[in-house]
Amino acid sequence: MTSLLELPAGELLDRFASPDPTPGGGSAAAFSGGLGAALVAMVCAMPKTRTGAPEERARLDAALAWAREAGDRLRALVQEDARAYDAVVAAYRLAKRPDAEKAARKAAIAAALARATDVPLATAEACLVVLKAAQEAVAHGNPNAVSDARTGGVLGFAGLVGAAENVRINAASQAESGVVAVERVEAALAEGRSRAQALRIL
Amino acid sequence: MTSLLELPAGELLDRFASPDPTPGGGSAAAFSGGLGAALVAMVCAMPKTRTGAPEERARLDAALAWAREAGDRLRALVQEDARAYDAVVAAYRLAKRPDAEKAARKAAIAAALARATDVPLATAEACLVVLKAAQEAVAHGNPNAVSDARTGGVLGFAGLVGAAENVRINAASQAESGVVAVERVEAALAEGRSRAQALRIL
């Protein structure tokens, strides 16, 4: 299977619009976070800082490293989310086969749902890092690029919200194992919301 | 020049992260809106509706048409924004040439800035349509796809906020011609915020 990020960008949009179950909202959330990370990295990498003070350079270098690491993770998560959801579909299909042993099929569905909950949780947490880096870029970066840094921040926020929707919906189909993931994503969301408010993008 | 949407999606992300002035936040905002439109269209096109009532089908068909039209517009705006900003950079460069006639260079800068304000305004207004279609998809669409519809909505909201940042910054460099664009984008933003709140994505 061709990796989603190898597709021409226009074709990737077509794939999201198509009725196939994947790629869906979880992959779109990861892509949005990756796009936000790219914009924030661009601003942090600019030679010019807000006032030219040396401590600004150090803070922007740190934020650049966060944005790049989160961005790499989010790119991988675009594909991982599609793969995790395909596995859920496959597990439910298996469960419909009359010869499938009851305990085995229950275990297969539970494992697939747990993975399909953990992947968007990872997306949500990486998007939070994008928001954190965006705050540094707005506070200390080139003032001419504030609109790019803020746009990066709001894309990170959108990825976080989208990922949280996916955590909630996949956790709801599970027994107690989903509870911890929901708690973690709600905490990420609360922190993300307050970072987004500080960036004045809500 | 290769169209941005013809680039492999991963390479497009690299282009956003690169220090070149374009593509920047305006193109990223349009892409985010296009991604949101794709998810919303996917949900509206599903045969299953919330309750199966015929009026739901009619509302979803209308929302599908909005999402597709806004999505096509936003795809084109990814490129248009980069082109408009390249023209601003070119106009400022022209203005530095000693032989450039003063009135002509002022006019060139003003024209380029006006275009670089109108393009993100169009992005903002198309993103608002994505939010409107997302509300229909959440209210009347397949309940199993609510997380996709909400994710589409938050991506539309992120595109709207990012586009508004670009309208403001480019309008600020202009004389009074930017005032109307700012008023229009603030109105779009206020409506978008209330739609996003109704979708519970903020």
Side-chain angles (χ1 to χ4, degrees), chain B residues 154-201:
Chain B
V154 77
L155 287 165
F157 177 75
L160 170 53
V161 171
E165 288 290 338
N166 282 272
V167 171
R168 287 190 195 120
I169 206 161
N170 292 330
S173 317
Q174 288 174 72
E176 50 200 276
S177 66
V179 175
V180 177
V182 170
E183 274 171 15
R184 274 178 63 182
V185 90
E186 296 300 344
L189 208 47
E191 184 182 336
R193 210 174 276 129
S194 93
R195 291 190 180 277
Q197 272 156 358
L199 276 169
R200 283 173 293 132
I201 49 178

Side-chain angles (χ1 to χ4, degrees), chain B residues 10 17 26 34 47 55-56 58 60 66 83 103-104 114 123 140 161 176 187 195:
Chain B
E55 57 271 29
E56 285 179 341
L60 290 170
W66 302 340
R83 206 175 289 133
T123 298
H140 307 295
V161 171
E176 50 200 276
R195 291 190 180 277

Side-chain angles (χ1 to χ4, degrees), chain B residues 140-160:
Chain B
H140 307 295
N142 187 337
N144 299 326
V146 160
S147 66
D148 293 309
R150 276 223 185 87
T151 302
V154 77
L155 287 165
F157 177 75
L160 170 53

Side-chain angles (χ1 to χ4, degrees), chain A:
Chain A
M1 179 183 154
T2 315
S3 128
L4 292 166
L5 293 187
E6 285 168 22
L7 294 175
E11 211 173 292
L12 178 62
L13 292 176
D14 293 339
R15 293 284 294 274
F16 279 110
S18 96
D20 301 335
T22 62
S27 293
F31 194 91
S32 171
L35 187 52
L39 286 176
V40 171
M42 189 258 286
V43 179
C44 292
M46 286 177 165
K48 190 173 169 182
T49 68
R50 177 164 290 279
T51 67
E55 57 270 29
E56 285 179 340
R57 183 72 274 151
R59 293 193 72 149
L60 290 171
D61 286 346
L64 176 60
W66 303 340
R68 282 193 179 148
E69 201 185 318
D72 286 345
R73 189 81 195 89
L74 287 160
R75 286 176 190 226
L77 285 161
V78 172
Q79 194 71 38
E80 284 172 33
D81 198 278
R83 206 176 287 135
Y85 198 73
D86 283 338
V88 171
V89 174
Y92 276 114
R93 238 173 241 156
L94 172 75
K96 279 189 189 151
R97 282 169 46 189
D99 57 334
E101 202 261 306
K102 204 178 165 184
R105 74 196 191 193
K106 266 186 94 168
I109 290 174
L113 279 172
R115 173 96 187 124
T117 305
D118 288 347
V119 170
L121 176 60
T123 299
E125 292 181 340
C127 285
L128 192 55
V129 177
V130 174
L131 269 163
K132 217 171 117 184
Q135 285 181 285
E136 294 291 293
V138 167
H140 308 295
N142 187 337
N144 298 327
V146 161
S147 66
D148 292 310
R150 277 223 183 86
T151 302
V154 77
L155 287 165
F157 177 76
L160 170 54
V161 171
E165 289 289 337
N166 282 272
V167 172
R168 287 190 196 121
I169 205 161
N170 292 330
S173 317
Q174 289 175 72
E176 49 201 278
S177 67
V179 175
V180 176
V182 170
E183 275 171 15
R184 273 179 62 183
V185 90
E186 296 301 343
L189 208 48
E191 185 182 335
R193 210 174 276 128
S194 92
R195 290 190 182 278
Q197 272 156 358
L199 276 168
R200 282 173 293 131
I201 50 178
L202 290 198

